[in-house]
Each structure stands twice: as structure tokens, then as C-alpha cells.
Short mmCIF file of all heavy atoms in Angstrom, two decimals:
data_model
loop_
_atom_site.label_atom_id
_atom_site.label_comp_id
_atom_site.label_asym_id
_atom_site.label_seq_id
_atom_site.Cartn_x
_atom_site.Cartn_y
_atom_site.Cartn_z
N ARG A 129 0.83 -1.20 0.00
CA ARG A 129 0.00 0.00 0.00
C ARG A 129 0.87 1.26 0.00
O ARG A 129 0.63 2.17 -0.78
CB ARG A 129 -0.94 -0.03 1.19
CG ARG A 129 -1.81 1.20 1.27
CD ARG A 129 -2.80 1.13 2.40
NE ARG A 129 -3.44 2.41 2.55
CZ ARG A 129 -4.53 2.79 1.91
NH1 ARG A 129 -5.09 1.96 1.07
NH2 ARG A 129 -5.05 3.97 2.10
N ASN A 130 1.85 1.30 0.88
CA ASN A 130 2.71 2.49 0.94
C ASN A 130 3.48 2.70 -0.36
O ASN A 130 3.67 3.84 -0.78
CB ASN A 130 3.68 2.39 2.11
CG ASN A 130 2.98 2.54 3.45
OD1 ASN A 130 1.90 3.10 3.54
ND2 ASN A 130 3.60 2.02 4.49
N LYS A 131 3.90 1.60 -0.96
CA LYS A 131 4.63 1.73 -2.22
C LYS A 131 3.73 2.30 -3.30
O LYS A 131 4.15 3.14 -4.08
CB LYS A 131 5.16 0.36 -2.65
CG LYS A 131 6.29 -0.15 -1.79
CD LYS A 131 6.75 -1.51 -2.27
CE LYS A 131 7.84 -2.06 -1.40
NZ LYS A 131 8.27 -3.39 -1.85
N ALA A 132 2.49 1.83 -3.34
CA ALA A 132 1.54 2.32 -4.34
C ALA A 132 1.23 3.79 -4.11
O ALA A 132 1.15 4.57 -5.06
CB ALA A 132 0.27 1.49 -4.33
N GLU A 133 1.07 4.19 -2.84
CA GLU A 133 0.81 5.60 -2.53
C GLU A 133 1.98 6.47 -2.99
O GLU A 133 1.78 7.55 -3.54
CB GLU A 133 0.57 5.79 -1.04
CG GLU A 133 -0.76 5.24 -0.58
CD GLU A 133 -0.93 5.26 0.92
OE1 GLU A 133 0.07 5.37 1.67
OE2 GLU A 133 -2.09 5.16 1.36
N TYR A 134 3.19 5.99 -2.74
CA TYR A 134 4.36 6.76 -3.17
C TYR A 134 4.41 6.85 -4.70
O TYR A 134 4.72 7.91 -5.25
CB TYR A 134 5.66 6.14 -2.64
CG TYR A 134 6.86 6.86 -3.21
CD1 TYR A 134 7.22 8.12 -2.72
CD2 TYR A 134 7.59 6.33 -4.27
CE1 TYR A 134 8.28 8.82 -3.27
CE2 TYR A 134 8.65 7.03 -4.82
CZ TYR A 134 9.00 8.25 -4.32
OH TYR A 134 10.04 8.96 -4.87
N LEU A 135 4.09 5.77 -5.37
CA LEU A 135 4.12 5.79 -6.83
C LEU A 135 3.10 6.77 -7.40
O LEU A 135 3.37 7.44 -8.40
CB LEU A 135 3.87 4.39 -7.40
CG LEU A 135 5.07 3.46 -7.35
CD1 LEU A 135 4.68 2.07 -7.82
CD2 LEU A 135 6.20 3.99 -8.21
N VAL A 136 1.93 6.85 -6.77
CA VAL A 136 0.93 7.82 -7.21
C VAL A 136 1.50 9.22 -7.07
O VAL A 136 1.44 10.03 -8.00
CB VAL A 136 -0.39 7.67 -6.41
CG1 VAL A 136 -1.29 8.87 -6.62
CG2 VAL A 136 -1.12 6.39 -6.82
N TYR A 137 2.05 9.50 -5.91
CA TYR A 137 2.66 10.82 -5.67
C TYR A 137 3.75 11.10 -6.70
O TYR A 137 3.79 12.17 -7.31
CB TYR A 137 3.23 10.88 -4.25
CG TYR A 137 4.18 12.03 -4.04
CD1 TYR A 137 3.70 13.32 -3.82
CD2 TYR A 137 5.56 11.83 -4.10
CE1 TYR A 137 4.57 14.38 -3.66
CE2 TYR A 137 6.43 12.90 -3.93
CZ TYR A 137 5.93 14.17 -3.71
OH TYR A 137 6.80 15.21 -3.56
N ASP A 138 4.64 10.14 -6.90
CA ASP A 138 5.77 10.32 -7.80
C ASP A 138 5.31 10.50 -9.25
O ASP A 138 5.84 11.34 -9.97
CB ASP A 138 6.72 9.13 -7.68
CG ASP A 138 8.03 9.37 -8.40
OD1 ASP A 138 8.62 10.46 -8.23
OD2 ASP A 138 8.46 8.46 -9.14
N SER A 139 4.31 9.74 -9.66
CA SER A 139 3.85 9.85 -11.04
C SER A 139 3.13 11.18 -11.27
O SER A 139 3.27 11.79 -12.33
CB SER A 139 2.96 8.67 -11.43
OG SER A 139 1.84 8.59 -10.59
N GLU A 140 2.38 11.66 -10.28
CA GLU A 140 1.75 12.98 -10.42
C GLU A 140 2.82 14.07 -10.51
O GLU A 140 2.69 14.99 -11.33
CB GLU A 140 0.82 13.24 -9.23
CG GLU A 140 -0.44 12.41 -9.27
CD GLU A 140 -1.32 12.60 -8.06
OE1 GLU A 140 -0.80 12.81 -6.94
OE2 GLU A 140 -2.55 12.51 -8.23
N LYS A 141 3.86 13.94 -9.72
CA LYS A 141 4.96 14.90 -9.75
C LYS A 141 5.65 14.87 -11.11
O LYS A 141 5.93 15.92 -11.70
CB LYS A 141 5.95 14.56 -8.64
CG LYS A 141 7.14 15.48 -8.58
CD LYS A 141 8.10 15.05 -7.48
CE LYS A 141 9.41 15.79 -7.61
NZ LYS A 141 10.47 15.19 -6.83
N THR A 142 5.93 13.68 -11.60
CA THR A 142 6.59 13.53 -12.91
C THR A 142 5.74 14.13 -14.01
O THR A 142 6.24 14.84 -14.88
CB THR A 142 6.87 12.04 -13.19
OG1 THR A 142 7.72 11.54 -12.16
CG2 THR A 142 7.53 11.86 -14.54
N LEU A 143 4.45 13.85 -13.98
CA LEU A 143 3.54 14.38 -14.99
C LEU A 143 3.54 15.91 -14.97
O LEU A 143 3.59 16.55 -16.01
CB LEU A 143 2.13 13.84 -14.75
CG LEU A 143 1.09 14.12 -15.81
CD1 LEU A 143 1.51 13.52 -17.15
CD2 LEU A 143 -0.25 13.55 -15.38
N LYS A 144 3.56 16.47 -13.78
CA LYS A 144 3.60 17.93 -13.65
C LYS A 144 4.91 18.48 -14.20
O LYS A 144 4.92 19.49 -14.90
CB LYS A 144 3.44 18.31 -12.18
CG LYS A 144 3.36 19.80 -11.96
CD LYS A 144 3.12 20.12 -10.49
CE LYS A 144 3.07 21.62 -10.28
NZ LYS A 144 2.81 21.97 -8.89
N GLU A 145 6.03 17.81 -13.89
CA GLU A 145 7.34 18.26 -14.37
C GLU A 145 7.43 18.21 -15.90
O GLU A 145 8.05 19.08 -16.51
CB GLU A 145 8.45 17.40 -13.77
CG GLU A 145 8.69 17.63 -12.30
CD GLU A 145 9.67 16.65 -11.70
OE1 GLU A 145 10.16 15.75 -12.42
OE2 GLU A 145 9.94 16.77 -10.50
N LEU A 146 6.83 17.20 -16.48
CA LEU A 146 6.89 17.06 -17.93
C LEU A 146 6.03 18.10 -18.64
O LEU A 146 6.32 18.49 -19.76
CB LEU A 146 6.46 15.65 -18.35
CG LEU A 146 7.44 14.54 -18.01
CD1 LEU A 146 6.82 13.18 -18.33
CD2 LEU A 146 8.74 14.71 -18.77
N GLY A 147 4.97 18.52 -17.98
CA GLY A 147 4.11 19.56 -18.53
C GLY A 147 3.64 19.27 -19.93
O GLY A 147 3.09 18.21 -20.22
N ASP A 148 3.89 20.20 -20.83
CA ASP A 148 3.42 20.10 -22.22
C ASP A 148 4.18 19.08 -23.05
O ASP A 148 3.82 18.84 -24.20
CB ASP A 148 3.50 21.47 -22.90
CG ASP A 148 2.54 22.47 -22.30
OD1 ASP A 148 1.56 22.03 -21.66
OD2 ASP A 148 2.76 23.68 -22.46
N LYS A 149 5.22 18.51 -22.50
CA LYS A 149 5.98 17.50 -23.24
C LYS A 149 5.19 16.21 -23.40
O LYS A 149 5.54 15.38 -24.22
CB LYS A 149 7.31 17.20 -22.54
CG LYS A 149 8.26 18.37 -22.55
CD LYS A 149 9.54 18.03 -21.83
CE LYS A 149 10.47 19.22 -21.77
NZ LYS A 149 11.67 18.92 -20.98
N VAL A 150 4.14 16.05 -22.60
CA VAL A 150 3.31 14.86 -22.68
C VAL A 150 2.14 15.15 -23.60
O VAL A 150 1.42 16.13 -23.41
CB VAL A 150 2.79 14.46 -21.27
CG1 VAL A 150 1.91 13.22 -21.36
CG2 VAL A 150 3.95 14.22 -20.33
N GLU A 151 1.96 14.31 -24.60
CA GLU A 151 0.84 14.48 -25.53
C GLU A 151 -0.47 14.32 -24.78
O GLU A 151 -0.55 13.61 -23.77
CB GLU A 151 0.94 13.46 -26.65
CG GLU A 151 2.15 13.66 -27.55
CD GLU A 151 2.22 12.64 -28.66
OE1 GLU A 151 1.20 11.99 -28.95
OE2 GLU A 151 3.31 12.50 -29.23
N ALA A 152 -1.51 14.95 -25.29
CA ALA A 152 -2.82 14.95 -24.63
C ALA A 152 -3.34 13.53 -24.40
O ALA A 152 -3.86 13.21 -23.34
CB ALA A 152 -3.82 15.76 -25.43
N ALA A 153 -3.18 12.66 -25.39
CA ALA A 153 -3.66 11.28 -25.25
C ALA A 153 -2.90 10.54 -24.16
O ALA A 153 -3.50 9.80 -23.37
CB ALA A 153 -3.54 10.55 -26.58
N ASP A 154 -1.59 10.74 -24.11
CA ASP A 154 -0.78 10.11 -23.07
C ASP A 154 -1.15 10.65 -21.69
O ASP A 154 -1.27 9.90 -20.73
CB ASP A 154 0.71 10.33 -23.32
CG ASP A 154 1.24 9.54 -24.48
OD1 ASP A 154 0.62 8.52 -24.86
OD2 ASP A 154 2.30 9.92 -25.02
N ARG A 155 -1.36 11.96 -21.61
CA ARG A 155 -1.73 12.58 -20.33
C ARG A 155 -3.05 12.00 -19.83
O ARG A 155 -3.20 11.68 -18.66
CB ARG A 155 -1.83 14.10 -20.47
CG ARG A 155 -2.23 14.79 -19.18
CD ARG A 155 -2.18 16.30 -19.31
NE ARG A 155 -0.84 16.79 -19.46
CZ ARG A 155 0.02 16.98 -18.46
NH1 ARG A 155 -0.34 16.70 -17.24
NH2 ARG A 155 1.23 17.44 -18.69
N ALA A 156 -4.01 11.86 -20.73
CA ALA A 156 -5.31 11.31 -20.34
C ALA A 156 -5.17 9.88 -19.82
O ALA A 156 -5.79 9.52 -18.81
CB ALA A 156 -6.27 11.36 -21.52
N LYS A 157 -4.35 9.09 -20.50
CA LYS A 157 -4.13 7.71 -20.08
C LYS A 157 -3.46 7.66 -18.70
O LYS A 157 -3.85 6.88 -17.84
CB LYS A 157 -3.26 6.99 -21.12
CG LYS A 157 -3.00 5.54 -20.81
CD LYS A 157 -2.15 4.90 -21.90
CE LYS A 157 -1.81 3.47 -21.53
NZ LYS A 157 -0.93 2.85 -22.50
N ILE A 158 -2.48 8.51 -18.51
CA ILE A 158 -1.76 8.57 -17.23
C ILE A 158 -2.70 8.98 -16.11
O ILE A 158 -2.74 8.34 -15.05
CB ILE A 158 -0.57 9.55 -17.34
CG1 ILE A 158 0.48 9.01 -18.29
CG2 ILE A 158 0.03 9.81 -15.95
CD1 ILE A 158 1.50 10.05 -18.74
N GLU A 159 -3.46 10.02 -16.34
CA GLU A 159 -4.39 10.51 -15.32
C GLU A 159 -5.45 9.46 -14.99
O GLU A 159 -5.84 9.31 -13.83
CB GLU A 159 -5.01 11.82 -15.75
CG GLU A 159 -4.01 12.96 -15.74
CD GLU A 159 -4.53 14.25 -16.32
OE1 GLU A 159 -5.58 14.24 -17.00
OE2 GLU A 159 -3.86 15.29 -16.12
N GLU A 160 -5.90 8.74 -16.00
CA GLU A 160 -6.88 7.67 -15.76
C GLU A 160 -6.28 6.57 -14.89
O GLU A 160 -6.90 6.10 -13.94
CB GLU A 160 -7.36 7.08 -17.09
CG GLU A 160 -8.35 5.94 -16.91
CD GLU A 160 -8.81 5.33 -18.22
OE1 GLU A 160 -8.31 5.73 -19.29
OE2 GLU A 160 -9.64 4.42 -18.16
N GLU A 161 -5.06 6.18 -15.19
CA GLU A 161 -4.40 5.13 -14.41
C GLU A 161 -4.16 5.59 -12.97
O GLU A 161 -4.35 4.82 -12.02
CB GLU A 161 -3.10 4.71 -15.08
CG GLU A 161 -2.48 3.49 -14.47
CD GLU A 161 -3.33 2.24 -14.57
OE1 GLU A 161 -4.11 2.10 -15.53
OE2 GLU A 161 -3.22 1.37 -13.67
N ILE A 162 -3.75 6.83 -12.80
CA ILE A 162 -3.56 7.37 -11.46
C ILE A 162 -4.88 7.30 -10.69
O ILE A 162 -4.92 6.88 -9.53
CB ILE A 162 -3.03 8.82 -11.51
CG1 ILE A 162 -1.58 8.83 -12.00
CG2 ILE A 162 -3.14 9.49 -10.15
CD1 ILE A 162 -1.04 10.22 -12.32
N GLY A 163 -5.96 7.70 -11.33
CA GLY A 163 -7.28 7.64 -10.71
C GLY A 163 -7.68 6.24 -10.32
O GLY A 163 -8.25 6.01 -9.24
N ASN A 164 -7.40 5.27 -11.19
CA ASN A 164 -7.73 3.87 -10.89
C ASN A 164 -6.98 3.37 -9.67
O ASN A 164 -7.56 2.67 -8.82
CB ASN A 164 -7.41 2.98 -12.10
CG ASN A 164 -8.33 3.21 -13.26
OD1 ASN A 164 -9.44 3.73 -13.11
ND2 ASN A 164 -7.89 2.86 -14.45
N VAL A 165 -5.72 3.71 -9.58
CA VAL A 165 -4.92 3.25 -8.45
C VAL A 165 -5.37 3.95 -7.17
O VAL A 165 -5.51 3.32 -6.12
CB VAL A 165 -3.41 3.47 -8.70
CG1 VAL A 165 -2.60 3.17 -7.45
CG2 VAL A 165 -2.95 2.58 -9.84
N LYS A 166 -5.66 5.24 -7.25
CA LYS A 166 -6.15 5.96 -6.08
C LYS A 166 -7.45 5.35 -5.57
O LYS A 166 -7.63 5.18 -4.36
CB LYS A 166 -6.38 7.44 -6.41
CG LYS A 166 -5.13 8.27 -6.44
CD LYS A 166 -5.51 9.72 -6.70
CE LYS A 166 -4.35 10.65 -6.53
NZ LYS A 166 -4.74 12.06 -6.77
N LYS A 167 -8.33 5.01 -6.48
CA LYS A 167 -9.60 4.40 -6.10
C LYS A 167 -9.37 3.06 -5.42
O LYS A 167 -9.97 2.76 -4.38
CB LYS A 167 -10.50 4.22 -7.32
CG LYS A 167 -11.86 3.65 -7.00
CD LYS A 167 -12.72 3.53 -8.23
CE LYS A 167 -14.05 2.90 -7.85
NZ LYS A 167 -14.89 2.68 -9.03
N ALA A 168 -8.49 2.25 -5.98
CA ALA A 168 -8.18 0.94 -5.39
C ALA A 168 -7.57 1.12 -4.00
O ALA A 168 -7.87 0.36 -3.08
CB ALA A 168 -7.24 0.15 -6.29
N LEU A 169 -6.74 2.13 -3.83
CA LEU A 169 -6.14 2.40 -2.51
C LEU A 169 -7.21 2.82 -1.51
O LEU A 169 -7.21 2.36 -0.37
CB LEU A 169 -5.07 3.48 -2.62
CG LEU A 169 -3.75 3.05 -3.23
CD1 LEU A 169 -2.89 4.26 -3.55
CD2 LEU A 169 -3.01 2.11 -2.31
N GLU A 170 -8.12 3.67 -1.93
CA GLU A 170 -9.20 4.11 -1.05
C GLU A 170 -10.08 2.95 -0.62
O GLU A 170 -10.52 2.89 0.53
CB GLU A 170 -10.05 5.18 -1.74
CG GLU A 170 -9.37 6.51 -1.89
CD GLU A 170 -10.17 7.49 -2.75
OE1 GLU A 170 -11.31 7.19 -3.12
OE2 GLU A 170 -9.62 8.56 -3.06
N GLU A 171 -10.32 2.05 -1.55
CA GLU A 171 -11.17 0.89 -1.27
C GLU A 171 -10.39 -0.25 -0.62
O GLU A 171 -10.96 -1.28 -0.28
CB GLU A 171 -11.83 0.41 -2.55
CG GLU A 171 -12.78 1.43 -3.15
CD GLU A 171 -13.31 1.04 -4.51
OE1 GLU A 171 -12.85 0.02 -5.08
OE2 GLU A 171 -14.19 1.76 -5.01
N LYS A 172 -9.09 -0.04 -0.48
CA LYS A 172 -8.19 -1.04 0.10
C LYS A 172 -8.29 -2.37 -0.65
O LYS A 172 -8.28 -3.44 -0.07
CB LYS A 172 -8.48 -1.23 1.58
CG LYS A 172 -8.25 0.05 2.36
CD LYS A 172 -8.52 -0.10 3.82
CE LYS A 172 -8.26 1.26 4.46
NZ LYS A 172 -8.63 1.35 5.79
N THR A 173 -8.36 -2.23 -1.98
CA THR A 173 -8.48 -3.41 -2.82
C THR A 173 -7.37 -3.51 -3.86
O THR A 173 -7.52 -4.19 -4.87
CB THR A 173 -9.83 -3.41 -3.57
OG1 THR A 173 -9.90 -2.22 -4.37
CG2 THR A 173 -11.00 -3.47 -2.61
N ILE A 174 -6.26 -2.84 -3.61
CA ILE A 174 -5.20 -2.87 -4.62
C ILE A 174 -4.52 -4.24 -4.61
O ILE A 174 -4.12 -4.75 -3.58
CB ILE A 174 -4.18 -1.73 -4.43
CG1 ILE A 174 -3.28 -1.66 -5.64
CG2 ILE A 174 -3.40 -1.87 -3.15
CD1 ILE A 174 -2.69 -0.30 -5.90
N LEU A 175 -4.48 -4.83 -5.77
CA LEU A 175 -3.87 -6.15 -5.93
C LEU A 175 -2.41 -6.00 -6.29
O LEU A 175 -2.00 -4.99 -6.87
CB LEU A 175 -4.59 -6.93 -7.03
CG LEU A 175 -6.09 -7.15 -6.84
CD1 LEU A 175 -6.67 -7.80 -8.09
CD2 LEU A 175 -6.35 -8.00 -5.62
N LYS A 176 -1.65 -7.03 -5.99
CA LYS A 176 -0.23 -7.00 -6.33
C LYS A 176 -0.05 -6.82 -7.83
O LYS A 176 0.82 -6.08 -8.27
CB LYS A 176 0.46 -8.27 -5.85
CG LYS A 176 1.94 -8.27 -6.09
CD LYS A 176 2.63 -9.50 -5.56
CE LYS A 176 4.11 -9.41 -5.82
NZ LYS A 176 4.85 -10.54 -5.30
N SER A 177 -0.89 -7.47 -8.62
CA SER A 177 -0.77 -7.36 -10.08
C SER A 177 -1.03 -5.92 -10.54
O SER A 177 -0.37 -5.42 -11.44
CB SER A 177 -1.72 -8.33 -10.77
OG SER A 177 -3.06 -8.05 -10.42
N ARG A 178 -2.00 -5.24 -9.92
CA ARG A 178 -2.27 -3.84 -10.28
C ARG A 178 -1.06 -2.99 -9.93
O ARG A 178 -0.65 -2.13 -10.69
CB ARG A 178 -3.51 -3.29 -9.59
CG ARG A 178 -3.52 -1.79 -9.73
CD ARG A 178 -4.79 -1.05 -9.79
NE ARG A 178 -5.87 -1.36 -10.60
CZ ARG A 178 -6.06 -0.88 -11.84
NH1 ARG A 178 -5.13 -0.17 -12.43
NH2 ARG A 178 -7.14 -1.13 -12.47
N TYR A 179 -0.50 -3.23 -8.75
CA TYR A 179 0.68 -2.47 -8.34
C TYR A 179 1.82 -2.68 -9.33
O TYR A 179 2.47 -1.74 -9.75
CB TYR A 179 1.11 -2.89 -6.92
CG TYR A 179 2.47 -2.34 -6.56
CD1 TYR A 179 2.62 -1.02 -6.19
CD2 TYR A 179 3.60 -3.15 -6.60
CE1 TYR A 179 3.87 -0.50 -5.88
CE2 TYR A 179 4.85 -2.64 -6.28
CZ TYR A 179 4.97 -1.32 -5.92
OH TYR A 179 6.20 -0.82 -5.62
N GLU A 180 2.07 -3.93 -9.71
CA GLU A 180 3.16 -4.22 -10.64
C GLU A 180 2.92 -3.57 -12.00
O GLU A 180 3.85 -3.04 -12.62
CB GLU A 180 3.34 -5.73 -10.77
CG GLU A 180 3.92 -6.34 -9.50
CD GLU A 180 3.91 -7.86 -9.48
OE1 GLU A 180 3.33 -8.48 -10.40
OE2 GLU A 180 4.48 -8.42 -8.54
N ASN A 181 1.68 -3.61 -12.48
CA ASN A 181 1.36 -2.97 -13.75
C ASN A 181 1.55 -1.46 -13.65
O ASN A 181 2.06 -0.83 -14.58
CB ASN A 181 -0.08 -3.27 -14.17
CG ASN A 181 -0.27 -4.69 -14.63
OD1 ASN A 181 0.68 -5.35 -15.03
ND2 ASN A 181 -1.48 -5.17 -14.57
N TYR A 182 1.13 -0.90 -12.53
CA TYR A 182 1.28 0.53 -12.33
C TYR A 182 2.76 0.91 -12.24
O TYR A 182 3.17 1.92 -12.79
CB TYR A 182 0.53 0.97 -11.07
CG TYR A 182 0.51 2.45 -10.89
CD1 TYR A 182 -0.13 3.28 -11.81
CD2 TYR A 182 1.12 3.04 -9.80
CE1 TYR A 182 -0.15 4.66 -11.64
CE2 TYR A 182 1.11 4.41 -9.63
CZ TYR A 182 0.47 5.21 -10.55
OH TYR A 182 0.47 6.57 -10.39
N LEU A 183 3.55 0.08 -11.58
CA LEU A 183 4.98 0.32 -11.49
C LEU A 183 5.61 0.37 -12.88
O LEU A 183 6.39 1.27 -13.19
CB LEU A 183 5.66 -0.75 -10.64
CG LEU A 183 7.16 -0.64 -10.46
CD1 LEU A 183 7.55 0.67 -9.81
CD2 LEU A 183 7.66 -1.81 -9.62
N GLN A 184 5.24 -0.55 -13.72
CA GLN A 184 5.75 -0.56 -15.09
C GLN A 184 5.31 0.71 -15.83
O GLN A 184 6.09 1.34 -16.54
CB GLN A 184 5.24 -1.79 -15.84
CG GLN A 184 5.74 -1.88 -17.27
CD GLN A 184 5.22 -3.11 -17.99
OE1 GLN A 184 4.44 -3.89 -17.44
NE2 GLN A 184 5.64 -3.29 -19.20
N PHE A 185 4.07 1.10 -15.63
CA PHE A 185 3.53 2.30 -16.25
C PHE A 185 4.30 3.54 -15.80
O PHE A 185 4.65 4.39 -16.61
CB PHE A 185 2.04 2.39 -15.87
CG PHE A 185 1.29 3.48 -16.56
CD1 PHE A 185 0.99 3.39 -17.90
CD2 PHE A 185 0.86 4.58 -15.86
CE1 PHE A 185 0.29 4.38 -18.54
CE2 PHE A 185 0.15 5.58 -16.48
CZ PHE A 185 -0.14 5.48 -17.83
N VAL A 186 4.58 3.64 -14.51
CA VAL A 186 5.33 4.77 -13.97
C VAL A 186 6.73 4.83 -14.58
O VAL A 186 7.23 5.90 -14.92
CB VAL A 186 5.39 4.72 -12.43
CG1 VAL A 186 6.38 5.72 -11.87
CG2 VAL A 186 4.01 4.97 -11.84
N ASN A 187 7.35 3.68 -14.74
CA ASN A 187 8.68 3.65 -15.34
C ASN A 187 8.65 4.16 -16.78
O ASN A 187 9.58 4.83 -17.23
CB ASN A 187 9.27 2.25 -15.27
CG ASN A 187 9.70 1.91 -13.86
OD1 ASN A 187 10.09 2.78 -13.08
ND2 ASN A 187 9.63 0.64 -13.51
N GLU A 188 7.58 3.86 -17.50
CA GLU A 188 7.43 4.37 -18.86
C GLU A 188 7.33 5.90 -18.85
O GLU A 188 7.89 6.58 -19.69
CB GLU A 188 6.21 3.76 -19.53
CG GLU A 188 6.37 2.30 -19.86
CD GLU A 188 5.09 1.68 -20.40
OE1 GLU A 188 4.14 2.40 -20.76
OE2 GLU A 188 5.03 0.44 -20.44
N ILE A 189 6.59 6.42 -17.87
CA ILE A 189 6.45 7.87 -17.73
C ILE A 189 7.82 8.49 -17.49
O ILE A 189 8.20 9.47 -18.11
CB ILE A 189 5.51 8.24 -16.57
CG1 ILE A 189 4.09 7.78 -16.85
CG2 ILE A 189 5.52 9.75 -16.33
CD1 ILE A 189 3.17 7.89 -15.64
N LYS A 190 8.56 7.90 -16.57
CA LYS A 190 9.87 8.45 -16.22
C LYS A 190 10.81 8.44 -17.41
O LYS A 190 11.64 9.34 -17.56
CB LYS A 190 10.48 7.67 -15.05
CG LYS A 190 9.80 8.00 -13.75
CD LYS A 190 10.47 7.30 -12.62
CE LYS A 190 9.83 7.71 -11.31
NZ LYS A 190 10.54 7.13 -10.17
N ASN A 191 10.71 7.44 -18.26
CA ASN A 191 11.54 7.39 -19.46
C ASN A 191 11.25 8.54 -20.40
O ASN A 191 12.12 8.97 -21.16
CB ASN A 191 11.39 6.05 -20.18
CG ASN A 191 12.06 4.93 -19.45
OD1 ASN A 191 13.00 5.15 -18.68
ND2 ASN A 191 11.57 3.72 -19.64
N LYS A 192 10.04 9.07 -20.33
CA LYS A 192 9.68 10.19 -21.19
C LYS A 192 10.33 11.49 -20.72
O LYS A 192 10.37 12.45 -21.46
CB LYS A 192 8.15 10.35 -21.25
CG LYS A 192 7.52 9.22 -22.01
CD LYS A 192 6.07 9.47 -22.26
CE LYS A 192 5.54 8.32 -23.11
NZ LYS A 192 4.23 8.59 -23.64
N ARG A 193 10.88 11.49 -19.52
CA ARG A 193 11.59 12.68 -19.03
C ARG A 193 12.81 12.97 -19.90
O ARG A 193 13.28 14.07 -19.94
CB ARG A 193 12.11 12.44 -17.60
CG ARG A 193 11.12 12.62 -16.54
CD ARG A 193 11.82 12.53 -15.21
NE ARG A 193 10.87 12.47 -14.14
CZ ARG A 193 11.20 12.45 -12.87
NH1 ARG A 193 12.46 12.48 -12.51
NH2 ARG A 193 10.29 12.40 -11.95
N LYS A 194 13.30 11.95 -20.55
CA LYS A 194 14.54 12.07 -21.33
C LYS A 194 14.32 12.78 -22.65
O LYS A 194 15.23 12.93 -23.43
CB LYS A 194 15.13 10.68 -21.56
CG LYS A 194 15.51 10.01 -20.26
CD LYS A 194 16.01 8.59 -20.47
CE LYS A 194 16.32 7.94 -19.15
NZ LYS A 194 16.68 6.56 -19.29
N TRP A 195 13.11 13.22 -22.92
CA TRP A 195 12.82 13.92 -24.17
C TRP A 195 13.66 15.11 -24.22
O TRP A 195 13.93 15.97 -24.65
CB TRP A 195 11.35 14.28 -24.29
CG TRP A 195 10.47 13.11 -24.45
CD1 TRP A 195 10.83 11.83 -24.78
CD2 TRP A 195 9.06 13.07 -24.27
NE1 TRP A 195 9.73 11.01 -24.82
CE2 TRP A 195 8.64 11.76 -24.51
CE3 TRP A 195 8.13 14.00 -23.93
CZ2 TRP A 195 7.32 11.38 -24.44
CZ3 TRP A 195 6.82 13.61 -23.86
CH2 TRP A 195 6.42 12.32 -24.11
#
């Protein structure tokens, strides 16, 4: 749970840092995934598989910093 909460925080921060460098479609996808994870955290139903998928997703976001 704590790891997922940190990843949400970190991905929101990364998205903010990237600003306009993120295409609108990518931003929408990222924001949707953040929302899904937040909802799962609130409901205390986050599965390990969701966390792992989200972790992979966050790493993809971070790779876009290199633009």
C-alpha cells in the first residue's frame, strides 16, 4: 500500500514536471491510471498485479523525461 501511494505521488509529480511534453492522449491515459490506483487504494483493494502494472507504467512515464 505504501509503495503504491508513493508511486501515485511520484507519477503525479513527474507528470507535472513534464508539462506540455506529454501528448494529450498520453496525459489522459496517465491521469486515468492514477485515478484507478487511487480508487483501489481508497477501497483497500489494490492487488499486487495492479501495483506491478502501475509500477511498469510509472517507469514508462519516467523514461519520457529524457525527451
Side-chain angles (χ1 to χ4, degrees):
R129 179 177 170 88
N130 290 338
K131 289 179 182 179
E133 288 173 342
Y134 174 76
L135 282 175
V136 166
Y137 164 79
D138 190 47
S139 59
E140 288 176 326
K141 179 182 169 195
T142 300
L143 189 60
K144 185 177 179 179
E145 289 173 359
L146 289 173
D148 293 339
K149 293 179 183 175
V150 179
E151 294 180 17
D154 288 339
R155 179 174 292 279
K157 182 179 176 184
I158 293 164
E159 290 173 346
E160 179 181 3
E161 189 62 30
I162 289 170
N164 290 338
V165 172
K166 281 183 171 181
K167 182 178 178 184
L169 285 168
E170 288 172 7
E171 296 173 353
K172 298 180 181 172
T173 60
I174 191 153
L175 302 174
K176 184 177 181 178
S177 60
R178 166 150 311 269
Y179 169 77
E180 289 171 353
N181 288 338
Y182 187 64
L183 179 60
Q184 181 180 3
F185 187 71
V186 169
N187 286 330
E188 290 174 14
I189 295 169
K190 286 184 176 185
N191 287 336
K192 291 189 176 192
R193 279 187 190 183
K194 298 176 183 175
W195 292 345

